[in-house]
Amino acid sequence: MKIQFKELKLNNFKSHSDTTVNFGERTDITGDNGEGKSTIPQSITWLLYNTDTFRSKLDPTPITYDSDETKVSLLLDVDGKQVLLERVLKKGKSQCYVNEVPKTATKYDAVVNELFDKELFFSLFNPNYFFTLHWEKQRTMLLQYVSAPLKKEVLKHMPEQQSEVLEPLLKNQSIDDVKAAQSDKKKRLDKQYIAAQSKTKTLKEQLEYHAPSVPLESLQAELNPLLKQRKELDEINDSASTVNGRINVLNSQIHHLNKERDSMKEDWALLKEEKIEDHCRVCKQPLQDDSLKAAEEEKQQRMDNFKASFNDVIAQRTKLEEELKTLEYIDVSETREKLMELQSKIKPLEKEIAKHKDYKHYVDQVEQAKAEEKECLETLNESIFILDSIKDYKAKEAELQAEKVQALFTTLSVRLFKQNKTDGEIKPDFEIEMDGKPYSKLSLSETIRAGLELRDVLSAQSELIIPVFIDNAESITKFKEPLGQLILCRVVANQKLKIEGVTNQ
């Protein structure tokens, strides 16, 4: 969009009771101090935004005379279409017009905002305005027209190993999201690694504490003969226990048979003295000869069976007694004493050997802890490498973006980033320099040239061309013609206000 100023009319605006400015491609406003040169550009910003050229409050009322009404109107050419804007201040109340049609303040502002962004207008119209902004605002305004380097472009300029590790992470995440995730991961891994180191240290201390004092080979050499002796004594003891146990069993069985024999003797006496009844026990009738004979035979049969059972008990006892005669009780008290003495020697040796087994267990635990610590460290180092790569990515991204921005300028240098001394992080920054000097150190003529170059970059990038005014133009003798109409305000001693609009042929 190209916007040109055609005609400006001032009525009772500060020192201008009735002034008309017809703008050309270049408009020279000259005169001595106090002639109202700077008031002319101020009237334009008051008309548009009710402020001066630096967006400060402005009282437009006449200074040396009284008036009931202040009025400013400006005829614009917007890409070939004429627009007439007008602001009137009467008795403290403001009224705005667009093409002579009254508008509310809101609707008037909307019309102006459609023409250009407020910050952009002031930066293009007043070359010194941009440098009054906070550096973050300056930076944002400039960068909104310069796209950041693409991820693949940044990765292409990085070392292969860093590019390979970052590329998959950046497919679905921003670099800041990746950094946040990896920073959180590193915090967790730092704690895990400290815990892993502590565990390894503790297990090493336990390993030293449980370390055997005697070599395993020496312990085995001392233990084996003792185990052999114990085995031999165990065999003797087991054999004696078998014999003595059999003797005890035989004595017990014989004792049981003797008791059974004695009991049978008593039963035999009763059986012998048992009388045969000569009458029926049920009906009490006398038994006949055949029945009496059968009763006698039945008794005899019982007596024969009893004798046979008795003889069997006697035979069993005799057999057991014969076996008992062949056995002799073995005294193992001495053997047991020897076994106890041997065990007292074996036990400490086995305890020391057990230490070797426990030591092997602790060795395995230490090795496992070392492996876990190593694995944790490797993972931590991977995270650190990614974070370092992210830092390098941001530095390279900043470098590429700075190159793109710097390519827009011819004499100015632009710093977009700075590196923290503490952690090396790349942080946003903004500084305009000319010939190695920051803007704040430039002379008046240098600030004008710097402002013109910067506003031309903003104009070209935003594709908005509007007029620019240069105040104190007498301080600068040579500069590049800016984009758009040029309004020069220059002090000429002892000269009344003079306005000359020059149109290029």
Side-chain angles (χ1 to χ4, degrees), residues 355-367:
K355 280 186 179 181
H356 281 273
K357 293 180 181 177
D358 292 340
Y359 183 74
K360 177 63 170 60
H361 173 68
Y362 283 111
V363 168
D364 292 341
Q365 283 190 322
V366 168
E367 291 305 314

Side-chain angles (χ1 to χ4, degrees), residues 478-492:
K478 187 178 180 181
F479 56 89
K480 180 184 175 183
E481 288 291 322
L483 296 172
Q485 292 171 290
L486 176 60
I487 305 168
L488 291 172
C489 296
R490 187 170 65 251
V491 175
V492 177

Side-chain angles (χ1 to χ4, degrees), residues 108-376:
Y108 181 81
D109 291 342
V111 171
V112 175
N113 289 335
E114 282 183 9
L115 294 175
F116 26 64
D117 173 76
K118 184 186 290 188
E119 293 284 13
L120 181 59
F121 171 81
F122 278 95
S123 297
L124 297 182
F125 183 59
N126 177 6
N128 294 321
Y129 172 77
F130 179 85
F131 298 97
T132 65
L133 299 173
H134 187 274
W135 71 264
E136 289 180 340
K137 214 165 196 178
Q138 294 177 355
R139 189 178 189 276
T140 300
M141 181 178 290
L142 182 59
L143 289 184
Q144 69 178 315
Y145 304 112
V146 183
S147 60
L150 298 175
K151 292 177 183 177
K152 62 180 181 180
E153 183 181 357
V154 180
L155 293 173
K156 185 175 69 176
H157 286 82
M158 295 184 67
E160 185 177 353
Q161 191 175 1
Q162 290 183 324
S163 178
E164 287 177 353
V165 75
L166 287 180
E167 186 175 8
L169 296 174
L170 291 173
K171 279 187 177 179
N172 299 312
Q173 288 182 300
S174 68
I175 190 70
D176 290 329
D177 287 343
V178 174
K179 180 184 176 182
Q182 290 299 323
S183 296
D184 183 66
K185 182 179 179 181
K186 182 182 176 296
K187 286 180 183 177
R188 287 187 282 105
L189 289 172
D190 280 334
K191 293 179 181 178
Q192 290 177 15
Y193 182 58
I194 292 171
Q197 286 180 309
S198 177
K199 180 180 179 182
T200 303
K201 181 182 177 183
T202 301
L203 289 171
K204 282 182 176 179
E205 291 172 352
Q206 291 179 346
L207 183 67
E208 292 176 5
Y209 177 78
H210 290 87
S213 56
V214 183
L216 181 61
E217 295 78 6
S218 299
L219 294 171
Q220 290 288 3
E222 187 177 352
L223 177 64
N224 288 338
L226 297 177
L227 291 176
K228 185 179 179 182
Q229 292 179 46
R230 187 178 70 179
K231 183 180 179 183
E232 292 172 351
L233 291 174
D234 279 339
E235 289 175 352
I236 293 171
N237 189 53
D238 291 344
S239 176
S241 295
T242 302
V243 172
N244 292 342
R246 183 58 183 166
I247 291 173
N248 292 334
V249 169
L250 290 173
N251 282 325
S252 176
Q253 289 177 341
I254 290 171
H255 176 71
H256 176 73
L257 289 172
N258 283 333
K259 286 180 68 177
E260 188 177 355
R261 178 202 62 185
D262 294 341
S263 176
M264 290 181 75
K265 282 182 178 180
E266 294 176 1
D267 292 341
W268 173 255
L270 293 174
L271 180 59
K272 279 178 65 177
E273 294 176 1
E274 180 182 315
K275 292 182 178 182
I276 298 173
E277 297 291 337
D278 55 358
H279 57 272
C280 179
R281 288 187 298 245
V282 179
C283 63
K284 305 299 182 181
Q285 293 293 324
L287 297 174
Q288 300 298 321
D289 292 340
D290 292 340
S291 298
L292 186 60
K293 184 178 180 182
E296 290 174 350
E297 289 177 354
E298 187 271 335
K299 178 183 177 183
Q300 186 61 46
Q301 182 66 43
R302 283 190 289 122
M303 292 176 66
D304 292 341
N305 290 338
F306 189 91
K307 287 180 181 180
S309 296
F310 181 81
N311 292 334
D312 184 57
V313 169
I314 297 303
Q316 288 182 49
R317 188 192 66 176
T318 302
K319 183 179 179 182
L320 292 176
E321 287 174 342
E322 291 297 325
E323 183 182 352
L324 184 60
K325 289 177 184 179
T326 64
L327 299 176
E328 184 177 351
Y329 185 81
I330 302 172
D331 185 1
V332 292
S333 58
E334 186 177 345
T335 302
R336 287 176 179 171
E337 287 179 4
K338 288 181 179 180
L339 278 172
M340 290 175 64
E341 184 181 347
L342 272 176
Q343 190 61 29
S344 66
K345 295 178 181 179
I346 289 171
K347 188 174 181 179
L349 292 174
E350 287 180 334
K351 189 175 181 180
E352 283 297 317
I353 290 172
K355 280 186 179 181
H356 281 273
K357 293 180 181 177
D358 292 340
Y359 183 74
K360 177 63 170 60
H361 173 68
Y362 283 111
V363 168
D364 292 341
Q365 283 190 322
V366 168
E367 291 305 314
Q368 184 179 349
K370 284 181 178 179
E372 290 173 356
E373 181 182 334
K374 181 182 177 183
E375 183 180 355
C376 185

Side-chain angles (χ1 to χ4, degrees), residues 157 396-408 416:
H157 286 82
K396 180 56 66 175
E397 182 183 43
E399 179 186 333
L400 294 175
Q401 190 167 20
E403 288 175 0
K404 292 175 73 173
V405 172
Q406 189 58 56
L408 303 175
L416 295 174

